[in-house]
Structures are given as C-alpha cells and as structure tokens.
C-alpha cells in the first residue's frame, strides 16, 4: 500500500488523478489516496480529505502534521511559493510529481518543443507560464529527482473548461461552427486517463528523465478537431470562416488562443512501451476520447464553466463571416 497525496482533488485534472489512483490496483501495489484542498467541494469516493489552504504556510503545516506520504502528485502548484509551502509542511516523499505545463516554452523557440528547449515567458500564456517555471525551479532546488510533466491541452470526462463542451453545444443546437481564419491552425491534446497512466508509470519505474513532455504523438487542425466533436454528438458538421481582416479577437468566439504549437513526446512514447505488466500502452485517439467526453458532458452540463461565445457570435456575426 502506497500513500499518495494529490493536491486539489475536486476539479477535472486533480479529481481524475485522485479517482484513478483510489481505484487502481495492479502489479501488487494498492494506493491510499489523500486529497489536499480547502474542503469547499465534495471529494472523490474512497479518498481522504486533508482540509487546508496551501497558500497559508502555517495552517498547511498544522493540517499535514503527522502525515507521511510515499508519493505527492502536485496538480495545483501554480507558483514557486506554492511548492515551498507544501515542501515545508511535509516529510520529503520518495516520489514528487509536478503537473507543470507546455506554457513554459516561449512561442519564439523552434518547434516541436523538446524537454531541452529553453523555458521562458510565452506572450500567450504570460504569468501562468512563468509561474509554472518558478514552481519547477523551486521543486528541483529541493528535490533534484522530482518529476515535472508538461502537457498540452488536456481534455476528457470531467473537463470543466468550456472547450470541447462548446463544440458539443454548437453541434447539439445544429449551429454552424465559426472557425478562426481558415481552420488550419494545429493544436495538440492529451486525454486525461493517459495523463494518469504516465503518472503511474513514473511511480512504478522511476525513469531517469525528470522532465517529460506528454501529449498525443500528432497534432490536429482546428477544423478536424471540431469535426470530431460534431461526430461525437452525431450531428452534421457545417462551418463558417472568420477572416483575419475583420480584426475580431478569436477568444471572443473560440475557446483557444491564436497560438499553434507542438510538443515532442518521444520520452513519453518510450515509457509507454512497457508498464509494470510489460504491456505496451498507446495514447487515446481524439475520436475515442471525444466520444467519452461527450458521454460525460450529456449528463454533467452543470459542471462546466460556460463562456458567452454563442452570445458573441449571435450578436456580432451574420453576413460578416464568409462560408
């Protein structure tokens, strides 16, 4: 039995991670999962709540006194101070994994980004990216054998961010989807369960690589991503292009930045060649992942934080968007 501390545990990524490990038992190892949060939401079944605000160093120490964890999966560290507060409150675990972000790579660097690509400010992600860099630095300064995972866009059941859910809504309502420019912008995704699988591989195998890009091995165009969303719903797909000449900020009507990037995930691919049972793993296809996402969304629409994309489209487009 390994004791795992998951920071958060109540929303999308952290909740999925907590649920995965609380139900996971393989290769002779079971997991006892503790979730650290402020106690404002229900925690996953089978996990133990430790109620604390990680930004309050004093109360964090009090809440964690007496606990001893084998593994920390830190989903909710957004700054160096977040890392410092937690490490000051616990005995150093055998394995510490930080869920970082691909936002640590400047958009000006050569793509695909590798783990050796220089990190620095990204003008699309701004403080989010630079704060993740500081979190990584704070962690490695105190635990050199820790791990930092850098994913692209995460998706799947439980996603409370209005991304694939927006496309699902448009499909359900029989709406044409308004695409920025020509729909050729490429993006990279990663299914939430695949993230959980790579975390388990790291815990089991303790690879020599300590910074790991994760994600699907190939990128996909905006146009094809939306097509797959409509296919998951079972709706006919139609679209309209929003010309760049209109000067409309794409985040007003589309859930992603005007930013195309791609990660090299060769290290992840090598780790997926054998789990603790010797089984070769593969990343979930977008088509399969979006189907599962829609199955969840149909029953949980109230759990997604909606944005006013449809209202903006109805109020600002019309004849201005060419088919």
């Amino acid at each position: 039995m390994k004791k795992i501390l998951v920071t958060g545990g109540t929303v999308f990524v952290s909740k999925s991670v907590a649920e995965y490990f609380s139900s996971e038992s393989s290769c002779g190892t079971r997991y006892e999962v503790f979730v650290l949060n402020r106690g404002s939401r229900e925690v996953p079944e089978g996990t133990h709540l430790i109620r604390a605000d990680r930004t309050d160093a004093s109360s964090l120490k009090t809440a964690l006194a007496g606990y001893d964890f084998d593994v920390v999966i830190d989903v909710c560290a957004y700054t160096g101070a977040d890392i410092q507060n937690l490490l000051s409150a616990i005995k150093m675990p055998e394995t510490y994994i930080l869920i970082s972000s691909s936002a640590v790579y400047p958009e000006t660097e050569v793509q695909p980004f590798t783990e050796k690509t220089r990190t620095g400010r990204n003008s699309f992600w701004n403080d989010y990216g630079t704060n993740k860099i500081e979190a990584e630095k704070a962690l490695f300064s105190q635990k050199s054998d820790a791990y930092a995972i850098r994913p692209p866009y995460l998706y799947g059941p439980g996603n409370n961010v209005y991304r694939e859910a927006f496309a699902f809504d448009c499909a359900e309502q029989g709406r044409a989807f308004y695409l920025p420019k020509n729909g050729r912008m490429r993006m990279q995704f990663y299914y939430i369960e695949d993230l959980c699988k790579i975390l388990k591989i790291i815990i089991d195998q303790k690879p020599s690589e300590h910074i790991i890009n994760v994600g699907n091995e190939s990128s996909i165009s905006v146009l094809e991503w939306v097509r797959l969303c409509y296919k998951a719903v079972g709706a006919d797909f139609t679209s309209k292009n929003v010309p760049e000449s209109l000067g409309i900020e794409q985040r007003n009507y589309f859930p992603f930045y005007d930013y195309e990037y791609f990660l090299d995930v060769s290290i992840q691919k090598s780790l997926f060649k054998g789990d603790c049972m010797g089984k070769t793993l593969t990343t979930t296809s977008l088509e399969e992942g979006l189907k599962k996402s829609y199955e969840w969304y149909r029953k949980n629409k109230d759990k997604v934080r909606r944005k006013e994309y449809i209202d903006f489209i109805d109020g600002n487009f019309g004849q201005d968007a060419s088919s």
Side-chain angles (χ1 to χ4, degrees):
M1 176 75 75
K2 284 191 175 184
K3 292 184 177 180
I4 296 183
L5 176 65
V6 178
T7 60
T10 61
V11 177
F12 188 32
V13 178
S14 61
K15 183 178 181 180
S16 298
V17 169
E19 289 175 337
Y20 179 86
F21 283 98
S22 65
S23 62
E24 176 70 14
S25 178
S26 64
C27 303
T29 302
R30 294 176 59 236
Y31 304 93
E32 185 176 12
V33 179
F34 298 78
V35 293
L36 174 69
N37 59 68
R38 288 172 289 186
S40 59
R41 294 177 177 158
E42 184 178 357
V43 300
E45 183 177 352
T47 66
H48 309 288
L49 171 64
I50 301 175
R51 192 189 307 268
D53 181 348
R54 74 177 298 166
T55 64
D56 185 336
S58 177
S59 66
L60 193 60
K61 281 187 177 181
T62 301
L64 289 168
Y67 286 99
D68 192 357
F69 304 106
D70 299 293
V71 180
V72 171
I73 301 176
D74 199 345
V75 183
C76 303
Y78 297 109
T79 66
D82 288 342
I83 294 290
Q84 297 287 0
N85 287 347
L86 185 56
L87 287 178
S88 297
I90 61 172
K91 180 181 176 182
M92 189 68 76
E94 178 183 356
T95 305
Y96 196 121
I97 308 173
L98 168 67
I99 308 299
S100 185
S101 171
S102 56
V104 301
Y105 299 119
E107 76 278 12
T108 52
E109 293 297 301
V110 175
Q111 297 189 35
F113 299 137
T114 74
E115 291 83 357
K116 296 186 182 299
T117 297
R118 179 185 68 87
T119 60
R121 189 173 188 83
N122 183 300
S123 63
F124 291 93
W125 294 106
N126 295 312
D127 289 347
Y128 175 75
T130 53
N131 285 339
K132 281 290 191 180
I133 293 170
E134 293 306 311
E136 288 187 11
K137 288 179 179 178
L139 176 58
F140 286 120
S141 71
Q142 296 195 48
K143 185 171 176 58
S144 60
D145 62 350
Y147 295 90
I149 307 301
R150 295 172 177 171
Y153 293 113
L154 292 165
Y155 79 103
N159 189 3
N160 63 319
V161 181
Y162 199 44
R163 288 176 178 158
E164 60 263 32
F166 167 54
F168 295 153
D169 280 348
C170 291
E172 285 185 339
Q173 296 171 28
R175 303 177 66 95
F177 196 92
Y178 282 78
L179 288 166
K181 302 175 185 175
N182 53 19
R184 293 179 184 171
M185 184 182 82
R186 302 192 70 82
M187 299 184 296
Q188 190 174 19
F189 291 91
Y190 200 45
Y191 188 59
I192 186 62
E193 188 175 342
D194 293 338
L195 176 70
C196 296
K197 289 176 182 177
I198 196 70
L199 292 172
K200 187 176 187 307
I201 287 173
I202 291 170
I203 293 168
D204 290 341
Q205 299 183 12
K206 297 181 178 59
S208 58
E209 301 87 353
H210 290 272
I211 296 175
I212 304 172
N213 288 342
V214 296
N216 289 353
E217 291 180 31
S218 60
S219 60
I220 188 170
S221 72
V222 169
L223 175 61
E224 289 306 311
W225 175 78
V226 179
R227 282 188 190 276
L228 289 176
C229 289
Y230 274 61
K231 185 175 181 179
V233 174
D236 292 333
F237 173 69
T238 58
S239 66
K240 293 187 176 182
N241 293 332
V242 180
E244 189 173 6
S245 60
L246 293 179
I248 297 174
E249 167 56 48
Q250 108 177 15
R251 285 302 299 273
N252 289 330
Y253 65 92
F254 184 72
F256 298 96
Y257 287 113
D258 181 12
Y259 173 42
E260 183 176 81
Y261 73 98
F262 185 44
L263 303 175
D264 180 303
V265 294
S266 300
I267 293 176
Q268 170 197 265
K269 186 176 181 180
S270 68
L271 294 175
F272 266 26
K273 286 183 177 177
D275 64 6
C276 62
M277 300 291 289
K279 178 182 177 182
T280 298
L281 304 176
T282 57
T283 52
T284 305
S285 70
L286 262 171
E287 182 171 352
E288 179 185 352
L290 287 169
K291 284 181 180 177
K292 292 180 179 178
S293 299
Y294 181 59
E295 289 171 6
W296 174 85
Y297 180 62
R298 287 176 57 236
K299 303 173 184 177
N300 296 277
K301 294 187 177 183
D302 61 317
K303 294 182 172 63
V304 176
R305 299 195 311 265
R306 278 176 168 69
K307 293 194 175 182
E308 304 302 320
Y309 300 135
I310 290 176
D311 287 346
F312 183 90
I313 289 167
D314 288 345
N316 291 272
F317 294 145
Q319 299 304 314
D320 289 333
S322 58
S323 297

